[in-house]
Amino acid sequence: MSFTNAPVTRSLVYGLVGISIAVSLLDIKHYFYILVDLHLWRFHQTWRALIYQLCYTNSSEVLFAAMTLYNMRAVERMWGSRKFATFVFITLILTSILTPIILTLLLRPLTLGLFNYLPAGPTPIVFAILAQYHSMIPPIYKYKVVTSISASTDDQAQGITLSDKSYRYLLAFQLALFQWPGSLLGALIGWLVGLSWRTEALPRSLIRWRLPGWVVGMRTQRRSQEFEGLRRRLEGEGAPTAAATGAQSQGESESGRRRTVGQQVMDQFQGAF
């Protein structure tokens, strides 16, 4: 019930957990992270850029990513499954291209080869969704953590103001720091892609494009809506018919009662005569 009206988010969470467990059981984790000098320059394994976001290589990252995605399911509910799935797909393509390119051609040369590792995991996608969550979902309540004991009774006491969304940001921030600087780079690229989508900095045709409806099961949903509409129309037509039938039967019963009383009176007069 917690994933109601959020089938894409549910698929992301279940897929992330399932693939991460399968990769660990099959002992193929070494295929999902990227070492620039070894995998890209020496062996030219560019296909790693297309699969490195499919799973995480340790259970802590899986847990934090699944919790973060679960807490951001309201984004799909507000957008609709088709738009949300399109956003996730476009973000996957853009971050799979931009993150390895920026690491390989910019950051690695600037750091003299020290920044050479890109960890596995959909951290860029998580932070792209987080950018939408930050802009769309307002906080429900706020509270202050007072840092000065002497001023704890004062309304203007110094402290840190937090909200019900703060722990969600804390989960995502921890996810970005698990394997930094590589995970931090992915988080930054994902946030920028999400912000670009939000501010329509990306090409308008890319933002307006949508995945086919059958990808998110819209055909089945539309068919069920059609059956629901037909049922309501039949119920609407059946109600006046039932009312008319009831009125007609009631009129016949009343006329029957009137005729019976009249016949009784005529019988009494006929008996008198």
Side-chain angles (χ1 to χ4, degrees):
M1 294 299 293
S2 56
F3 283 110
T4 303
N5 298 325
V8 178
T9 303
R10 179 182 59 210
S11 299
L12 287 176
V13 174
Y14 290 171
L16 175 63
V17 174
I19 296 175
S20 299
I21 293 176
V23 166
S24 179
L25 293 176
L26 297 175
D27 195 18
I28 54 174
K29 295 180 181 180
H30 54 279
Y31 288 113
F32 291 90
Y33 59 82
I34 298 176
L35 291 173
V36 175
D37 59 348
L38 180 63
H39 297 143
L40 298 184
W41 289 136
R42 184 179 302 178
F43 295 109
H44 307 289
Q45 296 177 349
T46 55
W47 49 267
R48 288 178 178 264
L50 301 178
I51 67 169
Y52 82 95
Q53 295 192 72
L54 293 181
C55 67
Y56 285 103
T57 56
N58 64 74
S59 58
S60 298
E61 289 177 302
V62 174
L63 175 63
F64 277 78
M67 292 175 62
T68 305
L69 289 172
Y70 172 79
N71 288 323
M72 296 188 298
R73 63 195 184 278
V75 176
E76 181 181 358
R77 291 173 178 171
M78 296 183 67
W79 269 0
S81 298
R82 188 179 182 187
K83 181 178 179 180
F84 183 75
T86 304
F87 170 74
V88 172
F89 178 74
I90 293 176
T91 301
L92 173 64
I93 299 299
L94 292 179
T95 53
S96 297
I97 297 173
L98 292 176
T99 309
I101 287 179
I102 292 175
L103 174 60
T104 303
L105 302 181
L106 181 62
L107 296 180
R108 185 175 180 273
L110 289 177
T111 58
L112 301 178
L114 295 178
F115 196 173
N116 188 55
Y117 175 69
L118 186 62
T123 301
I125 296 178
V126 172
F127 272 80
I129 301 174
L130 185 65
Q132 312 305 318
Y133 178 84
H134 174 72
S135 301
M136 296 170 56
I137 310 299
I140 299 177
Y141 59 87
K142 294 183 179 181
Y143 59 94
K144 178 181 289 188
V145 178
V146 178
T147 57
S148 176
I149 299 177
S150 61
S152 59
T153 59
D154 188 5
D155 293 337
Q156 303 296 326
Q158 295 182 354
I160 303 174
T161 302
L162 303 174
S163 70
D164 61 297
K165 297 170 61 178
S166 299
Y167 79 94
R168 296 175 173 88
Y169 297 140
L170 183 61
L171 290 175
F173 183 70
Q174 179 65 36
L175 185 64
L177 296 181
F178 267 118
Q179 299 192 52
W180 77 286
S183 57
L184 188 61
L185 173 64
L188 180 60
I189 297 299
W191 181 274
L192 292 177
V193 170
L195 189 63
S196 299
W197 177 287
R198 188 69 185 174
T199 59
E200 297 186 353
L202 297 175
R204 188 176 299 271
S205 59
L206 188 63
I207 297 176
R208 292 184 176 181
W209 177 77
R210 295 291 181 269
L211 288 171
W214 58 265
V215 174
V216 293
M218 289 187 62
R219 181 178 300 177
T220 304
Q221 183 178 4
R222 186 181 298 112
R223 183 172 298 178
S224 63
Q225 291 176 353
E226 291 176 357
F227 280 115
E228 181 68 18
L230 179 60
R231 184 184 65 81
R232 291 180 180 178
R233 287 196 298 270
L234 290 176
E235 289 180 352
E237 293 175 357
T241 304
T245 304
Q248 182 179 0
S249 61
Q250 182 178 1
E252 291 178 354
S253 61
E254 290 179 355
S255 63
R257 287 197 298 271
R258 288 195 299 270
R259 186 166 55 251
T260 303
V261 173
Q263 288 178 356
Q264 291 177 0
V265 172
M266 291 300 296
D267 292 340
Q268 290 180 0
F269 279 105
Q270 289 177 359
F273 287 115

